[in-house]
């Protein structure tokens, strides 16, 4: 067990877990994913099966009821999910970022109370960062918590929150000192369970990424115990978020790998079956160039994602590595989705095939967990910091 709280790499155990996930995906998810996605239906039965498999406790330590998997194994699970239906990876991601924040930064009392509930899925939810006027600039959040005796009173709104409707608990970033300078010193994070004064207001409609519930959360004089302040000390919330987002960006990178591979596999198969001018289109140089680029993007994305996950498992600072993986893998997914649609032609544009879903899902990856523009800034700053003249 390292300082991240994850088990050391065990190839045999990893393969057993991955095999079980692959069987679950083929048996329970692939036959229904297409219809659930197009109907934008919450996959209640699938989520229950994911709970039974312990997937909501992937990276939670075994002593707290989780599987204690390494980030490397977790990334491979997410990649395989995303090949079949990317929305499932999102249902897990936000939940496990919340869990990671509690595991890495919470008090021991918070860990012992919440982590077993998170691992079993009895309490399931996610991370509440974004606000109507605040996305990439997290220090601009306006949701405020005011101390009142042995509790805090919270007021504000969060938006685009994954698991917002069906989730029951969230790690919420807010201001405990709105006047603090620099701004991040006034930020804290709380574990908030839905109840009086805390509710969701509406489901947000999206281009893709269907099935998972994205919603707006509303806090109106919501009272939370002071003991739910993660770490027990005010002013640490921004640090907690940055630590949690390292895992989140590895997840999103792995999703990009999964979508890029799905596009590659379906395009390679289709190009061998579809004929034009008397021969399979895979024999046309124009198609060969696209397939070669798709395969190369996928392979590079795999290596960058594995490097980021490995750094995370070693307890190293990996915002640059996670940023690189997230940046490249998600752009690879977007490019592969575009090439896949061109290779499939009209069939790629049809709702009867998966390609149009990949084409709608991929752009989100370039936005979520910090835009790719932000990733470039993070990478450049870390590059300079690590290589001083």
């Amino acid at each position: 067990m390292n300082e991240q709280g994850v088990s050391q790499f065990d190839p045999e155990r990893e393969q057993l877990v991955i095999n079980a996930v692959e069987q679950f995906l083929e048996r329970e998810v692939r036959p229904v994913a297409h219809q659930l996605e197009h109907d934008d239906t919450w996959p209640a039965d699938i989520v229950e099966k994911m709970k039974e498999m312990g997937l909501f406790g992937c990276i939670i330590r075994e002593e707290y009821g989780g599987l204690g998997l390494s980030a490397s194994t977790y990334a491979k699970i997410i990649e395989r999910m995303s090949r079949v239906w990317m929305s499932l990876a999102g249902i897990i991601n936000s939940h496990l970022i919340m869990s990671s924040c509690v595991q890495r930064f919470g008090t021991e009392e918070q860990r012992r109370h919440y982590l077993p509930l998170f691992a079993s899925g009895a309490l399931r939810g996610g991370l509440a960062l974004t606000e109507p006027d605040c996305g990439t600039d997290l220090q601009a959040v306006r949701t405020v918590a005011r101390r009142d005796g042995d509790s805090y009173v919270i007021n504000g709104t969060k938006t685009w929150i994954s698991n917002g409707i069906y989730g029951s608990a969230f790690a919420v970033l807010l201001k405990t000192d709105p006047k603090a300078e620099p701004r991040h010193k006034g930020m804290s994070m709380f574990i908030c369970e839905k109840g009086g004064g805390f509710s969701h207001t509406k489901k947000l409609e999206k281009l893709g990424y269907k099935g998972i519930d994205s919603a707006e959360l509303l806090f109106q004089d919501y009272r939370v115990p002071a003991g739910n302040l993660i770490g027990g000390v005010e002013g640490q919330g921004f640090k907690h978020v940055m630590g949690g987002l390292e895992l989140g960006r590895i997840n999103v990178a792995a999703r990009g790998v999964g979508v890029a591979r799905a596009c590659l596999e379906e395009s390679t198969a289709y190009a061998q079956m579809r004929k034009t001018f008397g021969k399979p289109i895979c024999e046309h140089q124009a198609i060969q160039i696209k397939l070669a680029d798709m395969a190369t993007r996928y392979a590079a994305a795999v290596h960058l994602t594995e490097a980021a996950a490995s750094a995370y498992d070693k307890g190293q600072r990996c915002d640059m590595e996670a940023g690189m993986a997230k940046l490249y893998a998600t752009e690879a997914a977007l490019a592969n989705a575009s090439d896949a649609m061109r290779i499939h032609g009209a069939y790629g544009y049809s709702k009867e095939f998966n390609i149009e879903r990949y084409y709608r899902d991929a752009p989100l990856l370039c936005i979520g967990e910090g835009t790719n523009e932000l990733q470039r800034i993070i990478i450049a700053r870390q590059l300079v910091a690590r290589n001083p003249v």
Side-chain angles (χ1 to χ4, degrees):
M1 196 77 68
N2 66 15
E3 66 181 58
Q4 301 284 22
V6 296
S7 301
Q8 297 302 305
F9 178 71
D10 181 340
E12 185 175 349
R13 182 170 184 254
E14 176 189 79
Q15 197 56 53
L16 287 172
V17 172
I18 290 174
N19 288 345
V21 170
E22 288 179 335
Q23 291 171 15
F24 160 70
L25 291 169
E26 291 302 317
R27 184 179 63 250
E28 305 289 347
V29 180
R30 193 179 293 280
V32 298
H34 190 79
Q35 194 62 50
L36 286 172
E37 198 275 342
H38 279 289
D39 292 342
D40 199 6
T41 301
W42 166 250
D45 291 342
I46 292 174
V47 169
E48 288 304 312
K49 291 182 174 71
M50 289 164 66
K51 288 181 183 178
E52 293 171 9
M53 294 176 69
L55 294 179
F56 288 100
C58 277
I59 53 86
I60 295 175
R61 299 179 197 174
E62 292 178 90
E63 66 185 282
Y64 299 118
L67 297 180
L69 300 178
S70 66
S72 298
T73 304
Y74 172 56
K76 291 175 183 176
I77 290 172
I78 293 302
E79 185 265 334
R80 283 155 176 78
M81 282 186 174
S82 298
R83 286 188 219 167
V84 179
W85 191 22
M86 192 184 80
S87 295
L88 296 184
I91 290 172
I92 289 182
N93 179 46
S94 189
H95 173 82
L96 286 176
I97 297 177
M98 170 179 67
S99 303
S100 175
C101 286
V102 174
Q103 181 163 272
R104 295 179 68 184
F105 305 113
T107 64
E108 186 58 28
E109 183 178 355
Q110 289 167 350
R111 294 188 188 114
R112 295 202 176 278
H113 176 72
Y114 278 108
L115 290 179
L117 296 172
F118 294 163
S120 68
L123 274 183
R124 194 186 59 77
L127 191 67
L129 306 180
T130 304
E131 298 185 3
D133 294 320
C134 167
T136 300
D137 181 13
L138 290 177
Q139 295 186 64
V141 297
R142 296 181 181 178
T143 300
V144 174
R146 175 179 53 83
R147 184 70 184 251
D148 183 22
D150 59 358
S151 62
Y152 287 80
V153 178
I154 300 177
N155 283 282
T157 302
K158 296 290 181 179
T159 194
W160 294 113
I161 307 304
S162 298
N163 300 323
I165 295 174
Y166 295 98
S168 51
F170 296 84
V172 181
L173 182 69
L174 44 69
K175 293 282 183 68
T176 43
D177 182 2
K179 297 180 180 180
E181 289 294 341
R183 294 178 297 170
H184 67 83
K185 290 188 176 295
M187 305 178 74
S188 302
M189 183 170 282
F190 286 82
I191 309 165
C192 298
E193 298 181 46
K194 280 185 179 174
F198 174 18
S199 61
H200 67 269
T201 60
K202 62 180 178 180
K203 177 182 177 180
L204 300 171
E205 300 295 333
K206 307 183 296 292
L207 170 69
Y209 199 41
K210 305 285 189 174
I212 184 172
D213 49 322
S214 302
E216 187 173 84
L217 303 181
L218 182 63
F219 299 87
Q220 295 176 303
D221 293 330
Y222 169 71
R223 191 172 290 271
V224 62
N228 283 30
L229 170 62
I230 295 179
V233 179
E234 292 184 7
Q236 301 297 305
F238 191 72
K239 180 182 75 173
H240 299 167
V241 169
M242 292 301 102
L245 285 178
E246 288 178 348
L247 182 68
R249 286 167 183 160
I250 291 169
N251 171 291
V252 174
R255 285 192 238 175
V257 171
V259 172
R261 177 164 172 170
C263 292
L264 173 62
E265 289 180 342
E266 296 195 27
S267 296
T268 302
Y270 180 79
Q272 294 174 76
M273 295 185 294
R274 175 76 165 123
K275 292 182 178 181
T276 64
F277 304 104
K279 60 184 178 181
I281 63 173
C282 65
E283 295 182 17
H284 293 300
Q285 190 176 65
I287 300 301
Q288 291 173 344
I289 290 171
K290 289 188 184 300
L291 291 174
D293 286 345
M294 292 171 74
T296 303
R297 291 186 201 112
Y298 162 71
V302 168
H303 289 297
L304 282 168
T305 302
E306 288 179 348
S310 177
Y312 185 92
D313 286 334
K314 293 173 183 175
Q316 299 172 354
R317 178 172 179 172
C318 61
D319 47 352
M320 184 170 84
E321 290 77 8
M324 285 180 170
K326 193 269 184 189
L327 168 64
Y328 189 87
T330 59
E331 295 290 350
L334 186 61
N336 277 17
S338 179
D339 280 347
M341 180 165 285
R342 293 181 181 218
I343 290 170
H344 281 76
Y347 291 111
Y349 204 65
S350 168
K351 285 190 175 183
E352 294 182 16
F353 289 76
N354 291 327
I355 300 303
E356 63 87 30
R357 165 157 55 97
Y358 306 145
Y359 191 78
R360 289 184 290 105
D361 280 350
L364 170 71
L365 300 176
C366 299
I367 300 169
E369 307 302 346
T371 65
N372 281 358
E373 289 72 22
L374 175 63
Q375 302 313 311
R376 288 179 169 92
I377 294 170
I378 291 171
I379 293 164
R381 287 178 176 173
Q382 275 298 298
L383 184 65
V384 172
R386 296 184 191 187
N387 296 278
V389 177

